[in-house]
Amino acid sequence: MVEIGWRGHRHLLSIDQFSRSDIEDVLGFSRKLRPFSGEGSELSILRGRILKPMFFEPSSRTIDRHTGAILTMGGKYNPPLIPEASSMEKGESEEDTVITAAQTSDILAIRHPERYAPHKFAKLIDNLKSNTARVINCGDGSNEHPTQTLLDFYTIAEELGTLDGLTWLIVGDLEYGRTVHSLVKGIQKFSGNKVIGFPVDELRLPQEYRPNGYHEFNFDDLANVASEIPRGARVVLYATRVQVERIARKRYPDYDNLDEIKKKEIQNGIYKEFKYQITFKLLDALPEKTRLSHPLPRGNEIGNDVFNSHSPKVVPIGQMRYGLPVTMAYLALFSGLEEMLHEPERYVTSQPIALQTV
Ligand code: NCD
């Protein structure tokens, strides 16, 4: 029996577990929380709750938005797990490390290089006598990254006003990019969307993730396809990094044991091989209501000129900021606290500080 969680799910593991209206509700609660997501705001909704980031793979943004969100919601976090600095160095198994964390933390935010690892850990916790901890999948190998999709959807809904009737141009590494896999599954829950993939070379979207009516071209065809999109269309240009480390692991089975210099050399070689870039020329050729979105980190696919520009078409930096209210929302929902999100203003313990303009 599921005692704690949201709408029949204790854990947040896949975008598949969300219906369209579940996603709309997450986005609606995120909107309500947004005024309390920075500049000195604090709420008491997650008071006393403890989050544990467990990153068996590196992360910058995802750790920070989880720790930032739990603190803003009035909770706390235990220091992020870094495998080399934990008892795993003494030979403790990953399973025991997760069981241990589940005894002192309420929410485990887990990222792992293996597909379905967070699902496996969730099952392990469900079978324990003391089993209340929830797992949030923060990326399982090349499979999925469902929380990134929630924040990608929030970004696009804020920027273009809808998640229906959009043209999605998905570019880059569609084979190994897990954010793409969750995204294309999620898009299918909405209506009237066109999904067109533009993989770089052979990094094509695997069959298991392909939506109905999916078309795929090569990145080199993007400019031509772009010029044929009706001017009034709402377009999302979703660019992704080539997952050099996953390609390297496939090519060199001993990759993880190589020294850092050799790893960098291999990575740079792969980046050169799968080179592509989104330029202003391409953005200008797309309709006015186009938004360039990227889960980040970026490789060379977005140059500094585009990345740092103030063009309304370029949203990757704002997208990171949108991540905070979305993370606040699902942490509360999966803690069984939906009720409190209807009126978050009732739980304000610290008001945003009015910024002085200079
Ligand atoms: C992505 C990931 O880890 O899958 N990053 C993120 O969480 N925003 C994308 C990537 O690594 O390229």
Side-chain angles (χ1 to χ4, degrees):
M1 200 183 91
V2 177
E3 292 117 2
I4 304 170
W6 194 51
R7 301 194 179 166
H9 299 275
R10 176 187 288 166
H11 312 285
L12 194 174
L13 296 174
S14 165
I15 201 71
D16 290 337
Q17 74 190 65
F18 293 84
S19 66
R20 174 188 175 127
S21 73
D22 292 339
I23 294 174
E24 284 172 337
D25 288 348
V26 174
L27 305 191
F29 291 129
S30 306
R31 241 165 249 131
K32 278 181 185 279
L33 287 166
R34 190 162 163 206
F36 311 106
S37 67
E39 305 299 356
S41 286
E42 204 179 309
L43 300 156
S44 60
I45 295 176
L46 286 171
R47 181 175 279 163
R49 311 279 174 140
I50 301 174
L51 174 115
K52 174 80 178 175
M54 306 193 78
F55 281 67
F56 298 92
E57 243 188 14
S59 161
S60 308
R61 272 153 293 273
T62 309
I63 288 192
D64 281 1
R65 75 179 160 82
H66 281 85
T67 52
I70 191 96
L71 291 174
T72 309
M73 293 293 267
K76 300 180 176 69
Y77 65 89
N78 273 329
L81 172 96
I82 301 166
E84 304 78 55
S86 76
S87 287
M88 284 173 64
E89 271 296 290
K90 300 185 203 162
E92 185 160 55
S93 67
E94 288 183 356
E95 284 76 8
D96 284 8
T97 306
V98 170
I99 291 172
T100 304
Q103 306 316 306
T104 43
S105 305
D106 306 296
I107 306 169
L108 311 182
I110 303 184
R111 168 171 292 179
H112 198 281
E114 260 168 49
R115 294 160 64 89
Y116 301 103
H119 307 59
K120 183 181 81 183
F121 296 137
K123 214 172 257 162
L124 187 70
I125 293 171
D126 286 340
N127 290 331
L128 295 175
K129 214 187 320 174
S130 150
N131 67 356
T132 56
R134 279 126 276 158
V135 171
I136 309 288
N137 179 3
C138 292
D140 61 309
S142 61
N143 180 35
E144 272 208 59
H145 194 341
T147 69
Q148 179 69 39
T149 298
L150 295 173
L151 85 87
D152 292 342
F153 279 162
Y154 183 65
T155 304
I156 297 309
E158 291 298 294
E159 291 283 331
L160 294 177
T162 178
L163 291 170
D164 293 314
L166 304 176
T167 302
W168 295 82
L169 310 175
I170 307 199
V171 182
D173 183 350
L174 313 195
E175 180 172 2
Y176 297 100
R178 57 193 171 199
T179 68
V180 167
H181 302 160
S182 292
L183 183 72
V184 293
K185 285 181 178 195
I187 293 170
Q188 293 171 74
K189 297 172 193 278
F190 294 85
S191 58
N193 286 297
K194 270 197 205 113
V195 183
I196 313 173
F198 295 89
V200 194
D201 299 328
E202 77 266 25
L203 301 175
R204 306 182 62 190
L205 188 66
Q207 283 300 339
E208 63 179 299
Y209 304 112
R210 289 193 180 200
N212 283 338
Y214 175 73
H215 288 284
E216 199 168 81
F217 298 87
N218 191 274
F219 175 74
D220 299 332
D221 301 315
L222 180 54
N224 278 340
V225 176
S227 66
E228 282 165 22
I229 296 174
R231 296 297 87 190
R234 289 181 164 92
V235 179
V236 183
L237 177 58
Y238 191 89
T240 57
R241 174 181 77 92
V242 172
Q243 305 277 305
V244 283
E245 69 285 18
R246 294 187 212 293
I247 297 171
R249 269 189 210 115
K250 197 146 195 205
R251 288 187 186 174
Y252 306 91
D254 64 338
Y255 174 77
D256 282 318
N257 301 323
L258 298 175
D259 64 52
E260 290 310 310
I261 297 173
K262 186 77 194 144
K263 279 187 184 166
K264 264 266 135 353
E265 209 174 276
I266 292 174
Q267 289 190 5
N268 288 339
I270 298 173
Y271 262 131
K272 280 200 194 108
E273 198 180 318
F274 296 102
K275 212 167 168 183
Y276 85 96
Q277 199 163 54
I278 306 292
T279 58
F280 270 121
K281 189 165 167 230
L282 176 71
L283 282 178
D284 290 344
L286 285 160
E288 193 192 325
K289 285 189 184 145
T290 293
R291 292 296 179 269
L292 167 64
S293 160
H294 193 304
L296 299 175
R298 65 186 161 123
N300 302 322
E301 64 279 3
I302 303 183
N304 289 338
D305 54 340
V306 171
F307 186 68
N308 295 320
S309 100
H310 292 196
S311 160
K313 285 185 174 176
V314 178
V315 299
I317 294 179
Q319 197 169 348
M320 291 191 271
R321 182 79 193 189
Y322 287 134
L324 195 57
V326 175
T327 310
M328 289 161 67
Y330 68 69
L331 290 181
L333 292 172
F334 282 83
S335 299
L337 301 171
E338 175 168 349
E339 221 31 59
M340 295 168 92
L341 295 188
H342 291 283
E343 288 176 86
E345 56 283 0
R346 289 179 52 197
Y347 305 97
V348 169
T349 51
S350 165
Q351 295 280 1
I353 295 161
L355 289 184
Q356 225 175 355
T357 45
V358 285

